[in-house]
Amino acid sequence: MLRILGSLDASVYSATIDKRRLHHPMTLNTTMPLQLQALVEHFAVECQQHRETGWIVSDWSYHSLDAHASECVRTFVITRSLPVHPSIYYANSRASHAIQVADLIAGIRRRSAEGDKNLQQTDADLAAIRTLPQAAPTTHKGHAYTNRIQLI
């Protein structure tokens, strides 16, 4: 997987929340929009550098949750004039190999962030797959660009 992603001139993004550090119950309704907005903030830097419009593709979950996440991303992108398409596109992980790979990457990232030492090197190798150099510009919010975002 690392070899294939690297050969595609791709970037691998993740936005992680460490559940152990939360002070309230973690629900997808509150965390998914936060993670997507952080991901868009950093992905927009890459899109701007390449002078391209980015697309976010996500696995389907529940209609109301998907609609909520889409609206959060739409308003975030439009109000900041980011070079990312304001709609999230949804695909079924059973039918999309790209979504299956994204699920695998998310699982590796989550387990690594939770302390699984067996996956930390793989997580670091995934984070190294990127089209921008380490010294990339800052985001529109002034954060240092990264493709491995640790929110909480």
Side-chain angles (χ1 to χ4, degrees):
M1 180 180 67
L2 292 166
R3 182 185 54 76
I4 292 169
L5 289 170
S7 71
L8 292 173
D9 195 29
S11 293
V12 176
Y13 285 85
S14 64
T16 307
I17 294 174
D18 187 343
K19 293 182 241 182
R20 299 168 299 179
R21 299 178 66 194
L22 288 176
H23 299 291
H24 55 79
M26 183 172 143
T27 66
L28 281 176
N29 201 38
T30 58
T31 59
M32 181 194 279
L34 176 65
Q35 288 175 290
L36 284 170
Q37 287 176 351
L39 188 135
V40 166
E41 175 187 346
H42 292 268
F43 179 48
V45 173
E46 179 177 356
C47 296
Q48 186 172 30
Q49 291 292 305
H50 293 298
R51 293 183 173 87
E52 296 177 349
T53 300
W55 286 22
I56 303 292
V57 180
S58 179
D59 195 359
W60 284 327
S61 57
Y62 303 102
H63 176 72
S64 62
L65 181 59
D66 292 344
H68 176 61
S70 293
E71 180 62 18
C72 290
V73 167
R74 185 186 72 75
T75 58
F76 189 77
V77 166
I78 290 172
T79 59
R80 290 156 182 85
S81 299
L82 298 176
V84 177
H85 197 280
S87 296
I88 296 177
Y89 293 88
Y90 292 93
N92 185 331
S93 62
R94 291 183 181 172
S96 170
H97 293 115
I99 295 294
Q100 291 173 10
V101 170
D103 284 346
L104 181 59
I105 291 168
I108 291 167
R109 178 69 186 121
R110 179 187 58 81
R111 289 181 54 196
S112 174
E114 291 174 352
D116 186 334
K117 296 196 184 313
N118 294 321
L119 289 175
Q120 288 177 345
Q121 184 59 54
T122 303
D123 180 38
D125 292 343
L126 285 167
I129 300 172
R130 54 194 279 164
T131 65
L132 294 182
Q134 295 292 359
T138 58
T139 69
H140 71 280
K141 288 185 169 182
H143 298 132
Y145 165 82
T146 183
N147 60 330
R148 184 166 63 174
I149 306 148
Q150 181 70 44
L151 292 170
I152 299 171

